[in-house]
Amino acid sequence: MTPVRRQYLKIKNAYPDALVLFRLGDFYETFDADAHLASRELEITLTARSMGKGLKVPMAGVPAHALESYLARLIKKGHRVAICEQLADPAASRGLVERDVVRVVTPGTILESALLEQNANNYLSAVVEDGPVAGLAYVDITTGEFAVAQLDLERLLPELERIAPAEILIPAGDALPNWVGGNGSGAGPRYPGPDGGEPYRHGYPLTQLNPATFDLDLAKEALLSHYGIRSLESFGCESLPLAVRAAGAILDYLGQTYKTGKLRLAALRVYSSAAYMVLDSQTRRNLELFQAGRWENQRFSLLTALDATRTAMGGRLLRRWLGQPLLQLEELEQRHDAVEHYFTDAFRRSDARSTLADIADLERILGRIQAGTVAPRELIALKTGLEATTRLAATLEGEGAAPVAWLLRQLAPAPDAVTLVTEAIAPEPSGSVGEGNIIREGFSPELDQLKAASREARGFIAGLEARERERTGIRSLRVGYNQIFGYYIEISKSNLGQTPADYIRRQTLANGERYIVPELKEYESLALNARERIHEIEQSLFRQVCGQLGCHAEAISRLAAASAVVDVFSALAEVAVQHNYVRPRLGLDQAINIKDGRHPVVERTLGAGVYVPNDVQLSNDDARIIIITGPNMAGKSTYIRQTAIIVLMAQIGSFVPAAEAQIGLVDRIFTRVGLQDDLTTGQSTFMVEMLETAAILNQATPRSLVILDEIGRGTSTYDGLSIARSVIEHLHNDPRLGCKSLFATHYHELTELAQTLPGVRNYSVAVAEEEGRVVFLHRIVAGGADRSYGVHVAQLAGLPRAVVNRAWEVLEELERPGAGNRNGSGGRRVGPATLQLPLFQPEQPVTAAVLALDIPNLTPLEAINKLYELQGKARNPDEKFG
Ligand code: ADP
Ligand code: MG
């Protein structure tokens, strides 16, 4: 076995679960099973290499300069990759070059911009559970954001869905935690489906770690030493052991994946998930917050509709805000004030927005500075961006700017960082660090001298050929260079007679001779030495500058964060102006009154002036539940979603698409969509629908807003109607609930509930009938629909004339009084007369039996027996009474 082979095996043994990319000269090579895997996944040639006597090892490699793109493919396919570098210069070392793994790249620990999505954070998260409580930590190493929470287990899932981590660390154990769900089996990471969305449908991107990694004492120690502090009190997590353990696991993992250099993270932020509105995955999907339908990508999500941000940082922040609507009135007023600040003054707004265009991704540049992977050009972008923040601050000054003074304070300039980059880095750095074009002239006299010397030497050599031709009169005289002799002067055979006396012969060729002159060698070594020194000095200066910038990290990240916030505010203002939104009036009372509300996404897909605005009035008393009926395609779903979206927009700080809106803050928005309307859950079942409905009934509070769309549709008409009806009754009657609900249904029979339930209001979508054809007006009017217009819609959809006519006939027959007898031999048929489902119908045998009971004279046992009997009868009406 060759020494390199032994070295490789030793390293591979330490990283059994990673694909090891082993640096050999200009390539990263993989061996053995890794080589087979790499050649398959990267579509590169599988070769073999002799690594000892009679030992041929499978090998596949990628060129070192193309590492990033290959890395991206491996990570996307769910592999962990260990990068093993040469730790010494192979030219300078004797024997075997020292090698070791410098980094393990995993989905949650990527820094390379090519692998990252600009407008989304890339989170690494850790979860540890104890009984009903969980500790959750997450970090984005590209921005330094680091947050922890300790929360009830039932809140964990929505929280993980919000964060959507690229990787989740959990303690390895016999069983995977419950929240992993049915897909969680076996070890190893699991990744989103090929459509790239909804990872939780397919399982979690889990990485299981040794449980000791989650040890409390180790975690505390790791946190204290990472931040160089004496107590966790300053973070406010000393009494949150699970949160600390999760954070500790993250630090440990980062230590193992980033072997060289310590990553610097922002101060640990302890948060409570109770401070934000919970948005479960159903709601995120039904309201199409981040993704429209699964196949439509993100083209028409609410996020894209609102995202007029100019910076990547602002884009990420808006995404975070949309996932975490606020519950605090003061905080929200503050946001609305800031949006208004840019809304009312077009000059301010366009100033801010054009300034923001000059601000690069300061967060991620800072991250790369601290990780030691920043490119010189990015430092110039950093400087330009920091300078621009001063202009940005100016847009927060002036008349009426008092409400945004808090933001202005955060934009206090960081002149030292700007000065440092301006003085140290060339205005247009080019090439890689060490080639001499990165550090600005005048920053280091030593470097400038070396560069001058190098220039002079190269100038001398460059001019030598012409000078010597002149001096010797040999027109074919040539100055060349090779590895062995360095620079030389070559004279061809026919001209050898004219060779000057001071030429020293070095090499004889078939058709000439090569010479040197002492002066040439002097300049040559001058140039070589200068180049080496330039390389060393420039690299060390660059590292030094980065180190110094690291000292300004706090100021830089403050400015980055503040720019992101200004970006979001001015973007929301821009959208509000362009699309005619208004500032909502927020309150703690529980009423929601929206005048001329619109659906922000649908209105835009329809084009100008087409969308029909509608009002909504909800309260916690007499208009607690609104039932919206109307034919298919009338606009019911759009209307109820629009209400939820307007509330949500108000609670992230945005203006809203309405003429006027008064929003009593909502603690949670629930949405459920009946089976047939829910395009995205092809494999969902009626059971799931019911489970989800049950979850609402269990979790809603008087401050919640519940959106139910065609609930009960996933089963037969009778079951569906019964369930829909009992859900409404429960929402209405349960004293714990009293939440505001919007219920869209094509079961017009449900409108009767308003007669018995005082908190129920009926609305319907107006339709006009013109010559037997239905015309959708999309206007919501008081009162329920009297029918479903199903046949109208079928006709509109282009069903053949004959079929439509026959449907009219059948409908007429069904609607004749007395038709559609439920107890008839025809089985369950749908007709208005039987759809009302009175609990007690006098002609029913069960009813008759109940009425016949002599209750005072029944023993308890007899009563129970009777109940069983009645139940049996009710289940099977055709059976005779015993
Ligand atoms: P329903 O739930 O009643 O079947 P939808 O809400 O799905 O109907 O709406 C059907 C279509 O009608 C939408 O895709 C949209 O194009 C249009 N629509 C809905 N509401 C409006 C409105 N207020 N103004 C204009 N068009 C609307
Ligand atoms: Mg609908």
Side-chain angles (χ1 to χ4, degrees), residues 582-714:
V582 295
R583 176 174 182 164
R585 272 174 292 123
L586 304 180
L588 293 175
D589 59 318
Q590 313 198 338
I592 293 177
N593 285 318
I594 298 168
K595 195 165 168 299
D596 286 344
R598 284 123 49 206
H599 190 298
V601 178
V602 176
E603 100 171 314
R604 268 195 241 177
T605 62
L606 289 180
V610 178
Y611 197 86
V612 180
N614 278 302
D615 299 348
V616 185
Q617 275 161 14
L618 281 161
S619 73
N620 274 50
D621 339 296
D622 57 347
R624 207 181 310 157
I625 298 178
I626 293 182
I627 297 177
I628 299 107
T629 43
N632 258 321
M633 292 300 288
K636 302 182 296 296
S637 301
T638 310
Y639 175 70
I640 60 175
R641 281 169 173 74
Q642 137 191 338
T643 308
I645 287 176
I646 287 175
V647 168
L648 190 102
M649 285 171 72
Q651 290 193 229
I652 65 165
S654 171
F655 284 17
V656 298
E660 240 175 77
Q662 180 201 337
I663 311 284
L665 294 188
V666 156
D667 65 354
R668 187 158 175 177
I669 295 173
F670 291 93
T671 65
R672 289 302 177 269
V673 174
L675 183 65
Q676 289 169 35
D677 260 30
D678 189 356
L679 292 175
T680 55
T681 49
Q683 70 273 66
S684 169
T685 62
F686 177 63
M687 182 66 186
V688 172
E689 182 188 325
M690 286 301 102
L691 285 172
E692 288 167 354
T693 307
I696 297 184
L697 300 182
N698 291 326
Q699 294 173 31
T701 78
R703 287 215 153 272
S704 305
L705 177 64
V706 178
I707 303 297
L708 298 172
D709 197 356
E710 305 282 10
I711 286 294
R713 227 182 170 183

Side-chain angles (χ1 to χ4, degrees), residues 693-757:
T693 307
I696 297 184
L697 300 182
N698 291 326
Q699 294 173 31
T701 78
R703 287 215 153 272
S704 305
L705 177 64
V706 178
I707 303 297
L708 298 172
D709 197 356
E710 305 282 10
I711 286 294
R713 227 182 170 183
T715 180
S716 75
T717 308
Y718 276 111
D719 294 356
L721 249 180
S722 321
I723 288 166
R725 181 177 173 148
S726 62
V727 166
I728 294 178
E729 283 174 356
H730 187 85
L731 282 171
H732 185 277
N733 295 337
D734 190 310
R736 262 190 329 109
L737 293 176
C739 51
K740 293 174 277 290
S741 315
L742 289 163
F743 196 118
T745 179
H746 71 294
Y747 292 134
H748 60 84
E749 296 81 2
L750 286 172
T751 55
E752 287 177 11
L753 283 169
Q755 289 165 17
T756 46
L757 304 176

Side-chain angles (χ1 to χ4, degrees), residues 467-497:
R467 283 195 305 275
E468 290 302 299
R469 279 183 186 171
E470 176 104 338
R471 178 160 80 101
T472 59
I474 306 173
R475 301 243 327 271
S476 63
L477 179 144
R478 200 170 71 80
V479 172
Y481 180 85
N482 76 14
Q483 287 281 346
I484 304 160
F485 297 107
Y487 286 100
Y488 55 77
I489 301 168
E490 189 176 310
I491 296 178
S492 58
K493 229 173 194 169
S494 53
N495 294 311
L496 287 177

Side-chain angles (χ1 to χ4, degrees), residues 245-554:
R245 285 170 60 192
I250 281 191
L251 286 182
D252 186 90
Y253 191 68
L254 290 181
Q256 287 179 34
T257 47
Y258 278 87
K259 296 285 180 187
T260 54
K262 181 174 144 180
L263 288 171
R264 253 169 237 100
L265 305 175
L268 187 66
R269 185 169 64 88
V270 179
Y271 75 102
S272 156
S273 64
Y276 303 104
M277 187 193 287
V278 179
L279 295 172
D280 51 47
S281 63
Q282 307 292 323
T283 302
R284 298 155 61 92
R285 205 176 56 237
N286 291 338
L287 298 182
E288 303 185 329
L289 300 186
F290 299 93
Q291 266 172 317
R294 188 190 275 194
W295 295 279
E296 278 180 86
N297 266 326
Q298 308 193 341
R299 251 178 73 218
F300 289 119
S301 69
L302 182 60
L303 178 63
T304 39
L306 295 183
D307 191 356
T309 57
R310 284 282 167 94
T311 69
M313 302 178 290
R316 290 195 296 269
L317 183 67
L318 179 64
R319 179 186 285 267
R320 285 203 296 274
W321 279 10
L322 198 54
Q324 288 190 315
L326 298 179
L327 304 176
Q328 295 294 324
L329 189 63
E330 298 76 41
E331 242 177 302
L332 279 169
E333 295 286 10
Q334 205 176 36
R335 286 190 187 176
H336 285 139
D337 282 344
V339 175
E340 187 162 342
H341 178 79
Y342 288 110
F343 179 84
T344 47
D345 189 330
F347 289 116
R348 238 178 220 163
R349 190 170 66 248
S350 80
D351 261 7
R353 290 172 58 70
S354 62
T355 304
L356 282 160
D358 289 339
I359 301 183
D361 197 339
L362 304 181
E363 281 178 345
R364 282 191 170 156
I365 292 177
L366 179 62
R368 283 197 284 274
I369 288 175
Q370 295 186 319
T373 62
V374 77
R377 237 176 249 284
E378 292 179 310
L379 294 191
I380 296 301
L382 175 80
K383 181 195 83 155
T384 313
L386 290 177
E387 283 170 341
T389 59
T390 310
R391 278 177 282 142
L392 198 59
T395 68
L396 290 163
E397 286 167 335
E399 206 182 318
V404 288
W406 59 278
L407 202 47
L408 183 61
R409 279 193 294 278
Q410 314 218 320
L411 278 172
D416 295 351
V418 173
T419 311
L420 178 61
V421 177
T422 312
E423 287 175 355
I425 306 295
E428 284 180 21
S430 64
S432 59
V433 184
E435 285 173 14
N437 300 317
I438 304 300
I439 299 295
R440 190 194 188 105
E441 290 226 5
F443 183 68
S444 158
E446 191 188 358
L447 185 63
D448 291 349
Q449 270 166 24
L450 283 163
K451 278 161 76 174
S454 156
R455 258 195 308 276
E456 193 202 84
R458 276 181 289 133
F460 171 85
I461 294 168
L464 185 67
E465 195 173 85
R467 283 195 305 275
E468 290 302 299
R469 279 183 186 171
E470 176 104 338
R471 178 160 80 101
T472 59
I474 306 173
R475 301 243 327 271
S476 63
L477 179 144
R478 200 170 71 80
V479 172
Y481 180 85
N482 76 14
Q483 287 281 346
I484 304 160
F485 297 107
Y487 286 100
Y488 55 77
I489 301 168
E490 189 176 310
I491 296 178
S492 58
K493 229 173 194 169
S494 53
N495 294 311
L496 287 177
Q498 285 156 271
T499 307
D502 57 338
Y503 276 24
I504 304 165
R505 193 167 64 219
R506 270 293 145 91
Q507 195 184 9
T508 303
L509 307 170
N511 48 7
E513 301 276 351
R514 284 178 178 172
Y515 303 92
I516 57 162
V517 287
E519 214 184 2
L520 176 60
K521 285 293 126 176
E522 263 164 47
Y523 278 108
E524 177 184 325
S525 72
L526 199 67
L528 283 180
N529 288 340
R531 194 163 72 198
E532 244 167 64
R533 282 292 292 151
I534 288 169
H535 194 84
E536 275 167 33
I537 294 180
E538 192 172 72
Q539 282 203 329
S540 113
L541 284 174
F542 187 71
R543 267 198 302 274
Q544 219 171 298
V545 171
C546 288
Q548 272 170 298
L549 280 173
C551 300
H552 302 299
E554 220 162 288

